[in-house]
Amino acid sequence: PYQWACFDEVPFTKPFKKLSEMRIAIVTTAAPYQPDKGDQGPSAPYNAAAKFFSVYRLPIEPEPDLRISHIAIDRVHTSAKDSATFLPLAAMRRAHHLGKIGSIAPHIYGFPTNRSQRTNMDIDCPQLIRQLQKDQIDAIIGVPNCPVCHQSVSLAARAAEAAGIASVIMGCALDIARHVGVPRFYFSDFPLGNSCGRPDDVASQDQTLQGALDLLATAEKPRTIWHSPLRWHGPE
């Protein structure tokens, strides 16, 4: 059986700036759209051809076209039609406009969903940290989508914290993040693929981001987990 990552010790960095002064970046497992790789649109079946295998760094202007057809989201209860459910960029822009965060990083960072924990830790994490440090990032918001994504992003968050970059993960697979051992986890009890809120529900997306930001700013110790009060609309 697959052995999920599990650690006794969890690195933890307390932010040294207020949220209103931080430069915050998104770390995602969503993949850049590749027109030659088959169906990657809403309700697309699982599409392994659309996977990516190295850390990427894309500018947020113009907003990149990212998809999640390449990973195991909940295709029974959700469609990934609204990209804001797995990419909190629009919500972050609104938060920045209101002065809640200092600035949004000029790039989005893609972290590959990899069943090889060794590859994640030995190759992907160092690449990600170098890029975050180059862009002078103060904190990251990790956004996993599938089960293995939650493990991969948890490993990325651990590496960031060890490098002095605070992190919070917005996710839907509580058991995996808890098992790996992460600094901060904001849990939404939603179908996989909706880590950032309900589809076509801007208020829920803003509330989910705000919950994660509050957790980022106030957590006093690692393994701090907050549960979103929001409930899913639709069949259980």
Side-chain angles (χ1 to χ4, degrees):
Y2 184 72
Q3 298 296 310
W4 295 87
C6 184
F7 300 91
D8 293 328
E9 300 297 325
V10 179
F12 187 75
T13 294
K14 291 191 68 173
F16 56 91
K17 295 180 181 179
K18 298 177 181 178
L19 282 172
S20 59
E21 300 172 346
M22 288 187 200
R23 171 177 277 193
I24 302 177
I26 299 170
V27 175
T28 179
T29 57
Y33 175 59
Q34 303 174 73
D36 61 334
K37 298 299 184 181
D39 186 3
Q40 297 154 67
S43 301
Y46 173 71
N47 182 356
K51 286 183 178 292
F52 66 99
F53 299 96
S54 298
V55 173
Y56 69 74
R57 175 173 173 265
L58 292 176
I60 63 172
E61 297 289 355
E63 183 171 332
D65 185 358
L66 303 180
R67 313 284 182 97
I68 54 175
S69 63
H70 64 296
I71 44 185
I73 64 169
D74 182 343
R75 288 176 168 81
V76 174
H77 297 94
T78 194
S79 69
K81 180 180 179 181
D82 180 6
S83 64
T85 63
F86 59 84
L87 186 69
L89 183 55
M92 287 182 68
R93 291 189 198 277
R94 292 189 291 271
H96 172 60
H97 178 73
L98 294 172
K100 295 180 178 180
I101 58 177
S103 63
I104 304 170
H107 300 97
I108 287 175
Y109 306 86
F111 197 80
T113 299
N114 200 323
R115 289 178 179 83
S116 170
Q117 299 158 35
R118 182 180 301 174
T119 299
N120 269 161
M121 291 188 289
D122 294 351
I123 298 175
D124 302 326
C125 284
Q127 289 180 354
L128 175 66
I129 299 309
R130 285 194 295 269
Q131 294 181 7
L132 295 174
Q133 291 173 334
K134 180 179 180 180
D135 285 345
Q136 298 181 313
I137 302 304
D138 298 312
I140 62 171
I141 295 178
V143 188
N145 294 287
C146 72
V148 177
C149 292
H150 280 74
Q151 175 177 263
S152 297
V153 170
S154 295
L155 296 175
R158 292 173 56 86
E161 298 274 345
I165 301 171
S167 70
V168 62
I169 298 173
M170 301 163 63
C172 303
L174 174 62
D175 52 346
I176 295 172
R178 180 184 284 147
H179 184 77
V180 176
V182 297
R184 305 167 189 83
F185 189 75
Y186 191 78
F187 170 59
S188 295
D189 191 9
F190 292 166
L192 289 169
N194 297 272
S195 293
C196 304
R198 295 185 293 243
D200 302 315
D201 186 341
V202 170
S204 80
Q205 295 159 13
D206 287 346
Q207 184 174 339
T208 301
L209 175 66
Q210 188 61 54
L213 291 173
D214 290 344
L215 173 56
L216 174 65
T218 63
E220 294 291 334
K221 60 182 180 180
R223 299 184 188 272
T224 301
I225 297 172
W226 286 6
H227 293 239
S228 168
L230 296 173
R231 294 292 175 260
W232 183 250
H233 293 165
E236 291 292 334

